[in-house]
Amino acid sequence: MATEGGLGPSKDTAVGEVVMITLTGSDAHGLKMGPDRDGNSAVIKGMERLPNGKFGSIQRHGGIHIGDVLLAINDSLLEHMPHRDAMIMLNDRNLLRKQLRFISSPEYYARK
């Protein structure tokens, strides 16, 4: 997922891009999440190592940061979904494939 020069992520929320990460049903994400200022969606409050001591694919990507907002899971937009429901969807191991779309907080709140 590196850029042409070989350094850094191919996409980064810090430059206003929506970054998509695909997880399988068994992938742990290693994110500490909280609600947005309206009690909806899921904002990254912290990142932690997985139980095996490694970083998950979201942390390894490098283009997603603390403060970014989980905008959507698959085709479900989360900006008006209560945080609790967004977390249930994020942690649902029955969803075999999850396409997570992240956006920076300034970009997210500019949309609202």
Side-chain angles (χ1 to χ4, degrees):
M1 295 223 157
T3 58
E4 288 178 26
L7 301 174
S10 58
K11 290 200 169 230
D12 197 319
T13 59
V15 295
E17 296 175 320
V18 173
V19 176
M20 185 168 53
I21 299 279
T22 301
L23 302 178
T24 64
S26 62
D27 285 344
H29 52 76
L31 300 177
K32 293 180 182 180
M33 309 292 279
D36 70 9
R37 63 183 178 208
D38 298 320
N40 298 322
S41 192
V43 179
I44 299 174
K45 301 294 185 183
M47 297 185 188
E48 57 191 14
R49 291 182 185 269
L50 301 178
N52 64 8
K54 296 182 179 182
F55 288 114
S57 57
I58 295 170
Q59 295 95 321
R60 286 192 317 267
H61 180 275
I64 298 169
H65 312 281
I66 293 173
D68 288 348
V69 181
L70 180 57
L71 181 64
I73 299 174
N74 297 338
D75 292 328
S76 298
L77 288 175
L78 306 180
E79 57 196 331
H80 300 293
M81 182 182 288
H83 173 69
R84 182 175 185 270
D85 295 344
M87 293 308 297
I88 289 170
M89 184 180 289
L90 177 62
N91 293 314
D92 184 354
R93 293 193 178 262
N94 292 320
L95 282 176
L96 299 179
R97 185 173 177 192
K98 296 178 205 144
Q99 288 186 321
L100 310 179
R101 287 183 295 212
F102 293 91
I103 191 170
S104 71
S105 289
E107 293 289 328
Y108 175 76
Y109 290 115
R111 296 168 50 110
K112 287 189 121 191

